[in-house]
Amino acid sequence: MNPSEVLTRCLRYFYRASLRRKGACIANDLQFFDSFFSGEPKSLTIGISTYLEKGVKIVAYSQEPNHVAELKIGSHCFINHYAFIDCHHQITIEDRCLIGPYAYICDFDHVTVTEQERFSTAPVCIQSDVWIGAHACILKGVTVGHHSIIAAGAVVTDSIPPFSIAAGVPARVVKKIQSND
């Protein structure tokens, strides 16, 4: 092992340890490269064998008083480079999910009321064994059913049932997947 690999491993260890001391629940084998977490560490839970590729950004910060945002990423997930997960209320990504590069997942949007800006939030749930393509957007209040595929560039504004392929802007189910496929 060369000195730069040793330094990288040490930095990962200290970063994980720092997040744990602040309340995050992170598996020992979490792999990440130049990823960035911002917000309340006690909001963050990441399961075993999850891998965050270069440039992944994760924000978990509640705008609501007396509320802690909840971001849960399951085990055996892969989040590709420059994906952005923006949690202000609750986002759950279950086990074995694949998230493509530059994907965006958020659980809020902005509402303007009499020239004041505030957040409107609704939970997002990405169930197990989901594949989200590059540049796809998953917006507030959406549940993506297990074993579904979200096409590259899709904008998901409504829930997608299990065993479905969704594409388009806004995303619509274009094909059902047979459970034996």
Side-chain angles (χ1 to χ4, degrees):
M1 190 178 322
N2 67 39
S4 67
E5 289 174 342
V6 171
L7 179 62
T8 301
R9 283 185 176 202
C10 288
L11 290 173
R12 282 188 207 142
Y13 171 81
F14 286 114
Y15 187 66
R16 282 191 301 258
S18 171
L19 286 173
R20 281 194 192 104
R21 277 193 305 277
K22 295 174 184 171
C25 182
I26 299 173
N28 286 332
D29 63 350
L30 172 66
Q31 295 292 312
F32 57 90
F33 297 91
D34 298 329
S35 298
F36 177 76
F37 172 75
S38 163
E40 303 161 334
K42 62 185 171 186
S43 304
L44 181 62
T45 302
I46 300 177
I48 63 169
S49 298
T50 290
Y51 185 91
L52 307 179
E53 188 56 81
K54 178 182 179 181
V56 170
K57 293 196 185 310
I58 297 174
V59 175
Y61 180 76
S62 178
Q63 298 292 331
E64 304 167 24
N66 303 320
H67 181 269
V68 176
E70 295 176 43
L71 175 57
K72 295 178 183 171
I73 300 173
S75 299
H76 307 285
C77 293
F78 179 83
I79 302 175
N80 214 327
H81 59 273
Y82 301 105
F84 186 10
I85 301 171
D86 200 354
C87 176
H88 289 261
H89 181 65
Q90 181 180 13
I91 295 178
T92 303
I93 300 170
E94 294 181 359
D95 298 339
R96 297 173 306 281
C97 290
L98 304 173
I99 298 175
Y102 298 95
Y104 178 67
I105 301 168
C106 72
D107 63 353
F108 72 97
D109 60 16
H110 301 277
V111 178
T112 303
V113 179
T114 62
E115 298 183 19
Q116 288 183 334
E117 186 177 11
R118 65 178 181 82
F119 287 99
S120 170
T121 63
V124 171
C125 181
I126 299 170
Q127 295 178 345
S128 60
D129 302 296
V130 168
W131 180 13
I132 298 173
H135 295 274
C137 294
I138 311 292
L139 302 180
K140 75 173 189 167
V142 167
T143 296
V144 178
H146 59 89
H147 298 279
S148 290
I149 299 170
I150 306 300
V155 177
V156 183
T157 58
D158 293 316
S159 293
I160 304 297
F163 296 100
S164 300
I165 299 175
V169 178
R172 299 287 178 246
V173 174
V174 295
K175 184 178 179 182
K176 295 297 280 181
I177 300 170
Q178 300 301 318
S179 59
N180 58 358
D181 286 347

